[in-house]
């Protein structure tokens, strides 16, 4: 019995030892397999990055001494991190690529002067965009952006900002007043119901497009934007123009078609620098007919609802006001005369 028990114990010990060894070998094989898979994955990733980088390099061109990444009509929903190896780029032109996100590493492209990502599917601007202190043009029209981050105000060299046709932007952060060099701003086809107050703090702004929004009025202190020479406000819900508009002495282009204007203020007759206006498709009170053109050339040059129409409208408006005042004066005179006669008549009667 003792010898049998010893044999059984020995067998059990040997079996346990082999099981431990087998387990250890399996563990080592598993680790080797995982390591191989990771190595293969890393190798694949490196290879993919090399392919992507090579593909990106093919899209780099030099125009007017500027190094530009130019991609159009290709599928680039995201941008690979290997793009950082091209951080000497001065301009991005990525159009119709389906890009859904601006990478957070955008801030490391310190040499960027122009960032043109129009006609994509970008939903938001990363805060890191504020690190682009040399950026002069930011063009993000035809995307899906809803908010503009306050960090954009750190792009102190920005001269041109285009956010047209994002459809959901309804305000701008007040910090954008730091953009002292901004002269061109396009906010058309969004959801603005009022002028963003920050616009009034942009004295160097020259060109503003807020067409196709839901604006109901122009602010009464619009003349604070004293450098403005072009103002597009078509397709809004504006009902009247403020007197302060006469103080925009540099304004040469004013587009107000498709609004709810019922009148043109008399003060606009003094806007000597105004060269192009458009009042088409407004429910104006007065029907004004322009004098016939002298020749075909004059007919070609004349805008039906332009400057000549504006002056004719104001002249007609002033003429009617004058006639109305004269009629009121005549009526008052007649009433006073009648009253004097009645008083005089009663006085005579009493005297008698």
């Amino acid at each position: 019995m003792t010898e049998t028990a010893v044999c059984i114990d020995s067998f059990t010990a040997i079996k346990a030892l082999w099981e431990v060894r087998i387990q250890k070998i399996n563990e080592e094989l598993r680790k080797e397999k995982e390591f191989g898979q990771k190595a293969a994955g890393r190798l694949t990733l490196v290879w993919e990055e090399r392919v992507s980088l090579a593909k990106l390099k093919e899209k780099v061109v030099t125009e007017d001494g500027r190094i530009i990444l130019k991609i159009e009509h290709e599928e680039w929903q995201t941008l690979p991190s290997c793009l950082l190896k091209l951080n000497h780029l001065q301009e991005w032109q990525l159009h119709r690529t389906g890009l859904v996100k601006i990478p957070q590493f955008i801030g490391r492209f310190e040499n960027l002067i122009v960032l043109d990502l129009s006609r994509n599917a970008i939903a938001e601007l990363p805060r890191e965009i504020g690190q682009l202190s040399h950026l002069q043009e930011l063009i993000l029209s035809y995307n899906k952006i809803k908010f503009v981050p306050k960090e954009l105000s750190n792009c102190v060299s920005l001269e041109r900002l285009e956010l047209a046709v994002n459809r959901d932007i309804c305000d701008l952060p007040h910090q954008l007043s730091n953009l002292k060099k901004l002269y061109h701003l396009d906010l058309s086809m969004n959801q603005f119901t009022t002028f963003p107050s920050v616009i009034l703090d942009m004295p160097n702004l020259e060109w503003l497009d807020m067409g196709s929004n839901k604006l109901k009025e122009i602010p009464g202190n619009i003349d604070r934007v004293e450098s403005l020479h072009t103002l597009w406000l078509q397709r809004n819900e504006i009902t009247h123009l403020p007197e302060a508009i006469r103080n925009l002495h540099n304004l040469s282009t004013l587009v107000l078609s498709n609004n709810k204007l019922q009148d043109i203020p008399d003060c606009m007759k003094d806007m000597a620098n105004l060269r192009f206006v458009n009042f088409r498709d407004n429910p104006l009170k007065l029907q004004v007919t322009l004098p016939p053109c002298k020749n075909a050339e004059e007919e070609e040059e004349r805008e039906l609802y332009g400057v000549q129409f504006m002056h004719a409208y104001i002249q007609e408006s002033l003429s009617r006001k004058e006639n109305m005042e004269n009629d009121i004066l005549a009526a008052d005179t007649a009433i006073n005369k009648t009253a004097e006669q009645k008083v005089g008549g009663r006085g005579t009667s009493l005297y008698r």
Side-chain angles (χ1 to χ4, degrees), residues 257-268:
S257 54
N258 291 95
N259 274 280
K260 296 182 179 180
L261 293 169
Q262 295 188 18
D263 221 342
I264 299 174
D266 303 343
C267 65
M268 292 188 70

Side-chain angles (χ1 to χ4, degrees), residues 133-146:
S133 59
H134 295 102
L135 192 67
Q136 295 176 11
E137 296 184 20
L138 178 58
I139 303 174
L140 295 165
S141 299
Y142 294 89
N143 276 285
K144 298 180 180 180
I145 297 166
K146 295 183 179 181

Side-chain angles (χ1 to χ4, degrees), residues 193 213-217 233-240 258-261 282:
T193 57
N213 278 281
K214 297 179 179 179
L215 300 175
K216 291 180 172 57
E217 62 180 6
L233 295 168
Q234 71 284 359
R235 295 186 180 86
N236 277 286
E237 300 172 13
I238 299 168
T239 58
H240 68 280
N258 291 95
N259 274 280
K260 296 182 179 180
L261 293 169
N282 278 279

Side-chain angles (χ1 to χ4, degrees), residues 46 51 56 101 120 123 153 162 176 194 264 285-286 308 328 341 344:
V46 169
V51 171
L56 287 169
K101 186 177 181 181
N120 284 293
S153 62
E162 297 193 3
L176 294 193
T194 59
I264 299 174
K285 291 178 182 178
L286 304 182
Q308 190 176 356
I328 292 172
Q341 288 175 347

Side-chain angles (χ1 to χ4, degrees), residues 269-288:
K269 71 180 187 299
D270 300 323
M271 299 178 70
N273 289 323
L274 205 55
R275 295 289 179 268
F276 179 85
V277 295
N278 192 335
F279 287 98
R280 186 183 295 275
D281 297 321
N282 278 279
L284 295 169
K285 291 178 182 178
L286 304 182
Q287 297 292 326
V288 175

Side-chain angles (χ1 to χ4, degrees), residues 30-208:
R30 185 184 65 78
K31 287 181 179 180
E32 287 179 4
K33 184 177 180 181
E34 286 181 358
F35 179 79
Q37 288 175 343
K38 288 180 180 179
R42 285 194 294 270
L43 186 60
T44 301
L45 184 61
V46 169
W47 177 252
E48 288 176 351
E49 285 189 351
R50 286 182 179 178
V51 171
S52 296
L53 183 58
K55 189 175 180 181
L56 287 169
K57 284 182 176 178
E58 291 176 358
K59 306 298 178 183
V60 176
V61 298
T62 300
E63 294 180 0
D64 299 325
R66 188 178 293 178
I67 306 170
I68 305 171
L69 175 64
K70 187 178 289 190
I71 305 176
E72 190 163 359
H73 294 292
E74 289 187 15
E75 192 67 23
W76 288 85
Q77 290 191 0
T78 58
L79 295 171
S81 58
C82 64
L83 182 57
L84 281 168
K85 295 184 178 180
L86 302 177
N87 63 0
H88 61 290
L89 290 169
Q90 296 170 292
E91 182 172 341
W92 289 10
Q93 291 184 18
L94 276 63
H95 306 152
R96 296 183 175 90
T97 66
L99 188 67
V100 298
K101 186 177 181 181
I102 299 176
Q104 290 184 335
F105 58 71
I106 185 69
R108 295 171 64 179
F109 286 80
E110 298 177 357
N111 297 311
L112 270 183
I113 297 174
V114 176
L115 183 57
D116 184 352
L117 304 176
S118 54
R119 299 185 183 277
N120 284 293
I122 299 166
E124 63 178 346
L125 290 176
R127 295 177 179 178
E128 288 77 9
I129 202 163
Q131 298 172 23
L132 303 177
S133 59
H134 295 102
L135 192 67
Q136 295 176 11
E137 296 184 20
L138 178 58
I139 303 174
L140 295 165
S141 299
Y142 294 89
N143 276 285
K144 298 180 180 180
I145 297 166
K146 295 183 179 181
F147 303 103
V148 178
K150 63 182 180 180
E151 286 77 12
L152 183 61
S153 62
N154 296 323
C155 298
V156 293
S157 298
L158 200 62
E159 299 176 357
R160 186 184 188 102
L161 176 60
E162 297 193 3
L163 296 166
V165 201
N166 276 277
R167 301 190 183 279
D168 287 321
I169 302 175
C170 61
D171 201 4
L172 297 178
H174 66 88
Q175 289 88 349
L176 294 193
S177 60
N178 292 335
L179 303 179
K180 303 300 183 184
K181 295 183 179 181
L182 192 71
Y183 72 86
H184 179 109
L185 179 60
D186 191 345
L187 301 171
S188 59
M189 294 190 72
N190 279 290
Q191 292 293 324
F192 290 92
T193 57
T194 59
F195 262 67
S197 58
V198 68
I199 290 179
L200 302 176
D201 295 323
M202 295 178 173
N204 292 317
L205 193 65
E206 298 179 5
W207 195 100
L208 174 62

